[in-house]
């Protein structure tokens, strides 16, 4: 049973798998360099054999033409007929290496006049131009022969005279074999040398990978600084650029975690200290009324600590880059806002605040945005919470959805307002405007800014045009643009 497991660990090869997953870049490159060489080798042999035969034919065809001319010199046309003064063909030589030659004088239709009767006649596709020497291959007595022939006009212009000279191919084959051996045998020595040179070249060519590996191994575990692209080959720079981008995101994650830990430790220290003090006082108190007051303060402190913890977790989730990798989707902004408004009705009634929602029918087709529903809900939640928190009793908070080519969400309140000088600082963490008695952690608007940046939402802060108060205006980008950018980032 161990054989299948071992075979699965072998390096994939281009010869065994049409879609290999390479375990060795060196081996993969070597495979793809040697595979074409092995495929080209038989083709090279065939081409060399064909060229060698052509060269041999060109060399010996000249001799064959001279033999044909000698035969033609002994062919005479007279008014009484055709006379051939050549002696009869000699018997073939005993030496198998020597070529045997045959001649034939006949009419084109096949009637023999003189010479060997075994020389094959013309076929339908053979050249028949008069007075021109032509060549063809044929079989004579079981052997392949090279034939040179010429057609001559007959005295009566009725049937042309065919004069042929045939020669066996022994010497041609010998010359062709010498050419092939002279070309191919050196290749047997060149190919191993080429393989060694390729091996050496690949080793030297992949040396930058080994240096880059050593460089990365020497880095400290907490060193997420970018790798210098200029120190790597051009082909590796895209990979290193992607690694640098990944390390930058990891650095952002680590910094976000460090900020969260620092903020949590700093902000939770005060309420936990107060809770401990109130608990110690309650343990020493014997008066039931005073004990009840201490317990009420403890409950209020627990609520504040829970709210602060919840806000810290929201901020960590909003700013952590891995949350930005959550799958975004098309969100109906109007439906989402209506669901959120339903959660704040009771809070608004408790504070005697008029909470309303305005939307126009023409907005509905354009109210689609692209984002993470949970994060968008937290952003809108914090803005409504902030508006209700800083609006006095009897005031109003209006959430308005309209369209200005892209969806625009407005949260308008009749609260205390925000001075122009402090409008940028309110998005900082733990920053609170002096002179306000509303309870809060100073994290709500920081969460809004983080989520808005993630979704490419532009925040505009203005005075309430109807009077005292503040107007938060959120400009959402077009759905198609965000989807395109998200696809490119993926």
């Amino acid at each position: 049973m161990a054989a299948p497991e071992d075979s699965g660990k072998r390096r994939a090869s281009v010869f065994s798998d049409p879609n290999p997953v390479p375990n060795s870049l060196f081996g993969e490159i070597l495979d793809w360099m040697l595979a074409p060489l092995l495929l080209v080798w038989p083709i090279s042999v065939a081409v060399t054999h064909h060229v060698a035969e052509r060269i041999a034919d060109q060399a010996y065809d000249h001799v064959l033409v001279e033999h044909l001319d000698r035969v033609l010199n002994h062919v005479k046309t007279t008014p009484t007929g055709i006379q051939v003064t050549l002696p009869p063909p000699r018997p073939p030589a005993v030496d198998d290496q020597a070529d045997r030659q045959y001649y034939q004088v006949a009419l084109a239709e096949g009637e023999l006049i003189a010479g060997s009767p075994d020389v094959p006649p013309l076929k339908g596709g053979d050249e028949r131009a008069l007075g021109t020497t032509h060549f063809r291959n044929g079989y004579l007595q079981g052997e392949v022969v090279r034939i040179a022939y010429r057609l001559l006009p007959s005295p009566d212009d009725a049937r042309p005279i065919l004069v042929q000279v045939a020669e066996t191919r022994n010497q041609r084959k010998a010359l062709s074999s010498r050419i092939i051996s002279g070309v191919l045998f050196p290749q047997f020595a060149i190919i191993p040398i080429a393989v060694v040179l390729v091996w050496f070249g690949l080793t030297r060519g992949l040396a930058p990978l080994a240096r880059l590996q050593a460089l990365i191994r020497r880095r400290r575990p907490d060193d997420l600084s970018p790798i210098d692209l200029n120190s790597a080959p051009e082909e590796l720079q895209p990979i290193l650029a992607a690694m640098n981008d990944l390390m930058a995101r990891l650095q952002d994650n680590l910094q976000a975690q460090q900020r969260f830990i620092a903020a949590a430790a700093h902000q939770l220290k005060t309420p936990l200290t107060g809770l401990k003090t109130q608990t110690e006082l309650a343990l020493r108190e014997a008066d039931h009324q005073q004990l009840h007051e201490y317990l009420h303060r403890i409950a209020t402190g627990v609520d504040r600590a829970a709210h602060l913890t919840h806000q810290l977790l929201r901020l960590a989730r909003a700013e952590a880059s891995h949350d930005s990798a959550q799958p975004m989707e098309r969100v109906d902004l109007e439906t989402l806002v209506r669901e959120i408004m339903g959660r704040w009705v009771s809070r608004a009634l408790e504070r005697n605040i008029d909470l309303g929602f305005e939307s126009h029918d023409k907005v509905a087709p354009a109210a689609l945005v692209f984002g993470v529903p949970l994060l968008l809900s937290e952003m809108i939640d914090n803005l409504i919470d902030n508006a209700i928190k800083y609006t006095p009793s009897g005031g109003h908070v209006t959430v308005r959805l309209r369209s200005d080519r892209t969806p625009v969400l407005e949260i308008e309140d009749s609260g205390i307002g925000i001075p122009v000088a402090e409008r940028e600082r309110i998005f900082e963490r733990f920053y609170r405007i002096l002179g306000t008695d509303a309870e809060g952690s100073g994290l709500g608007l920081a969460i809004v800014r983080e989520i808005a940046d993630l979704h490419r939402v532009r925040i505009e802060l203005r005075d309430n045009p109807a009077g005292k108060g503040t107007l938060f205006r959120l400009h959402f980008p077009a759905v198609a643009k965000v989807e395109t950018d998200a696809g490119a980032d993926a």
Side-chain angles (χ1 to χ4, degrees):
M1 298 299 291
E5 297 180 358
D6 295 339
S7 61
K9 295 180 181 179
R10 296 194 191 102
R11 182 181 62 80
S13 170
V14 297
F15 305 107
S16 59
D17 188 353
N19 298 303
V21 179
N23 295 324
S24 168
L25 184 60
F26 181 90
E28 186 74 5
I29 297 175
L30 191 62
D31 277 351
W32 282 107
M33 292 186 71
L34 295 181
L37 185 61
L38 295 178
L39 293 176
V40 169
W41 172 253
I43 299 175
S44 174
V45 172
V47 171
T48 302
H49 184 269
H50 176 73
V51 172
E53 286 187 344
R54 292 288 300 274
I55 294 174
D57 281 341
Q58 289 176 1
Y60 283 96
D61 281 350
H62 292 289
V63 178
L64 195 59
V65 170
E66 293 177 357
H67 187 199
L68 177 63
D69 290 336
R70 288 195 298 269
V71 173
L72 288 170
N73 290 333
H74 291 81
V75 177
K76 306 295 182 180
T77 58
T78 64
T80 60
I82 302 171
Q83 295 181 358
V84 180
T85 59
L86 278 171
R90 289 179 298 178
V94 179
D95 186 6
D96 292 337
Q97 297 299 321
D99 281 322
R100 295 181 296 277
Q101 294 179 343
Y102 307 86
Y103 76 90
Q104 181 189 81
V105 180
L107 296 178
E109 283 71 11
E111 181 181 340
L112 180 65
I113 297 174
S116 174
D118 296 326
V119 178
L122 293 182
K123 297 180 180 179
D126 292 334
E127 295 285 344
R128 294 176 181 269
L130 297 178
T132 304
T133 301
H134 305 290
F135 297 93
R136 61 192 176 94
N137 294 321
Y139 288 92
L140 193 154
Q141 297 179 1
E143 290 185 90
V144 179
V145 292
R146 182 72 168 169
I147 304 172
Y149 67 94
R150 189 180 302 173
L151 289 168
L152 302 176
S154 63
D156 56 1
D157 294 329
R159 296 181 295 175
I161 301 170
L162 173 64
V163 180
Q164 300 187 96
V165 175
E167 183 179 62
T168 56
R169 301 183 61 92
N170 294 332
Q171 292 184 358
R172 297 170 190 261
K173 290 180 180 179
L175 177 59
S176 175
S177 298
R178 289 196 299 270
I179 294 174
I180 293 174
S181 61
V183 172
L184 296 183
F185 285 166
Q187 293 184 11
F188 284 104
I190 293 174
I191 289 177
I193 296 174
V195 172
V196 173
L197 292 177
V198 167
W199 185 282
F200 179 75
L202 284 177
T203 303
R204 293 296 302 272
L206 296 178
L209 288 176
R211 291 195 295 268
L212 181 61
Q213 179 188 26
L215 176 65
I216 294 176
R217 286 183 179 276
R218 288 197 300 267
R219 292 168 70 98
R220 300 189 310 274
D222 59 342
D223 183 4
L224 297 178
S225 59
I227 300 173
D228 183 15
L229 299 183
N230 295 325
S231 62
E234 182 179 353
E235 292 78 8
L236 293 179
Q237 290 181 6
I239 299 177
L240 294 181
M243 289 181 59
N244 287 342
D245 182 64
L246 174 61
M247 289 192 292
R249 295 198 300 268
L250 289 175
Q251 183 71 28
D252 291 341
N253 270 345
L254 289 176
Q255 291 177 355
Q257 293 175 7
Q258 292 171 356
R259 289 196 300 268
F260 171 75
I261 294 172
H266 179 268
Q267 294 298 319
L268 291 175
K269 181 179 179 180
T270 300
L272 291 177
T273 301
L275 287 174
K276 182 179 179 181
T277 302
Q278 296 295 329
T279 303
E280 291 175 349
L281 293 174
L283 291 174
R284 293 196 299 265
E285 186 60 52
D287 186 3
H288 290 286
Q289 184 176 358
Q290 188 66 32
L291 179 61
H292 183 273
E293 182 178 350
Y294 285 143
L295 292 177
H296 178 71
R297 293 177 182 176
I298 292 173
T300 303
V302 169
D303 290 339
R304 290 177 180 175
H307 177 71
L308 176 60
T309 302
H310 181 65
Q311 291 289 78
L312 286 170
L313 292 175
R314 278 185 170 184
L315 179 61
R317 180 166 47 193
E319 70 180 358
S321 61
H322 66 269
D323 269 312
S324 66
Q326 290 183 357
M328 291 190 172
E329 58 187 72
R330 288 174 177 257
V331 180
D332 187 337
L333 190 58
E334 182 173 1
T335 301
L336 181 65
V337 173
R338 289 185 183 275
E339 292 177 357
I340 295 172
M341 293 288 290
R343 300 198 293 264
W344 289 99
V345 171
S346 59
R347 173 76 181 278
L349 292 175
E350 290 177 2
R351 295 180 56 86
N352 190 27
I353 292 175
D354 180 16
L355 177 63
F357 175 65
E358 296 179 2
S359 177
H360 302 286
D361 293 338
K362 64 180 182 179
V363 177
L368 289 178
V369 297
F370 195 68
V372 181
L374 177 62
L375 297 181
L376 291 175
S377 177
E378 289 187 357
M379 178 178 67
I380 300 171
D381 262 330
N382 277 282
L383 287 173
I384 297 176
D385 179 28
N386 190 74
I388 293 176
K389 186 183 300 180
Y390 291 98
T391 298
S393 178
H396 69 271
V397 173
T398 302
V399 179
R400 186 179 299 110
L401 181 62
R402 60 184 182 84
S403 177
D404 182 16
R405 292 179 295 182
T406 58
V408 176
L409 181 65
E410 297 179 345
I411 294 91
E412 178 184 281
D413 64 67
S414 59
I416 60 176
I418 301 175
V420 177
E422 300 192 49
R423 288 182 181 176
E424 284 299 323
R425 298 200 61 190
I426 62 172
F427 293 102
E428 297 177 3
R429 300 173 187 182
F430 310 114
Y431 180 80
R432 301 186 64 200
I433 299 175
L434 297 177
T436 60
D437 55 356
E439 296 180 356
S441 61
L443 291 174
L445 293 180
I447 295 172
V448 170
R449 169 59 63 85
E450 292 286 347
I451 299 176
D453 290 344
L454 175 63
H455 290 80
R456 299 176 177 86
V457 175
R458 181 168 61 88
I459 301 177
E460 187 180 355
L461 183 57
R462 295 181 177 272
D463 292 328
N464 189 340
K468 189 177 181 181
T470 305
L471 172 66
F472 282 87
R473 183 174 293 155
L474 278 64
H475 297 268
F476 287 83
V479 174
K481 175 175 175 54
V482 181
E483 286 181 329
T484 303
D485 294 344
D489 294 341

